[in-house]
Amino acid sequence: MSLDKAKLCDSLLTWLQTFQVPSCDNKHDLMSGVAIAHVLHRIDPSWFNETWLGRIKEESEANWRLKVSNLKKVLKSMLEYYHDVLSQQVSDEHLPDVNLIGELGDVTELGKLLQLVLGCAVSCEKKQGKKKINKIHTSTCEE
């Protein structure tokens, strides 16, 4: 059973919002890579450190080339994290096309990118993602 791509992005956005980072109100906010970078910094601040975060251009919202540049930096660092820290390889079928995200706002490709962020969170040493997912699950079940 396949989950609708827009619904997947909505669910992952809800999860990302639990990290309480700036500019994370809707899917459009994620297209620049800024909010995603801040979430990765919260997940593992020693790997996605302040120096790395400083390379992400905050003022990229109106320029699709800057968005793509940010997204490439985010993806490259996540792939290195998967390899070096988590000792995992990401298969090509799971790699998002960051050009489509930055230039066209492609929700399917954004979903792929956000799933990689989720993988970092649930597999990292501190398991930040699992704690946040449990928090969402608990509040959803109580409603």
Side-chain angles (χ1 to χ4, degrees):
M1 187 162 106
S2 176
L3 186 61
D4 177 88
K5 302 298 182 193
K7 186 155 178 66
L8 174 65
C9 269
D10 289 340
S11 298
L12 291 169
L13 173 62
T14 300
W15 171 71
L16 285 176
Q17 289 170 335
T18 65
F19 286 91
Q20 299 176 333
V21 298
S23 301
C24 192
D25 296 326
N26 56 56
K27 287 180 274 198
H28 180 74
D29 289 344
L30 303 178
M31 304 289 178
S32 70
V34 174
I36 296 170
H38 282 280
V39 168
L40 289 168
H41 177 67
R42 295 262 174 100
I43 289 169
D44 191 337
S46 63
W47 183 270
F48 303 102
N49 58 33
E50 291 289 336
T51 303
W52 175 80
L53 198 56
R55 291 190 213 119
I56 304 298
K57 305 293 183 220
E58 299 271 344
E59 64 283 345
S60 64
E61 198 57 43
N63 185 332
W64 70 266
R65 286 182 178 91
L66 284 178
K67 289 180 189 180
V68 170
S69 175
N70 281 349
L71 292 166
K72 284 181 179 178
K73 290 171 190 167
V74 166
L75 179 59
K76 180 179 184 287
S77 293
M78 273 199 296
L79 293 176
E80 290 170 352
Y81 186 80
Y82 269 91
H83 182 267
D84 296 348
V85 177
L86 304 177
S87 300
Q88 298 177 15
Q89 292 292 94
V90 177
S91 67
D92 289 344
E93 68 188 68
H94 297 295
L95 293 178
D97 185 335
V98 293
N99 292 307
L100 290 177
I101 299 169
E103 188 174 358
L104 304 174
D106 188 289
V107 177
T108 301
E109 297 303 312
L110 179 62
K112 286 182 181 180
L113 184 66
L114 298 180
Q115 287 177 73
L116 291 175
V117 176
L118 177 63
C120 288
V122 298
S123 300
C124 75
E125 193 172 292
K126 292 192 289 184
K127 307 284 191 239
Q128 287 291 348
K130 287 184 180 177
K131 293 174 188 172
K132 302 284 186 184
I133 291 168
N134 288 338
K135 181 179 175 183
I136 292 170
H137 181 69
T138 302
S139 66
T140 304
C141 290
E142 290 172 355
E143 291 176 353

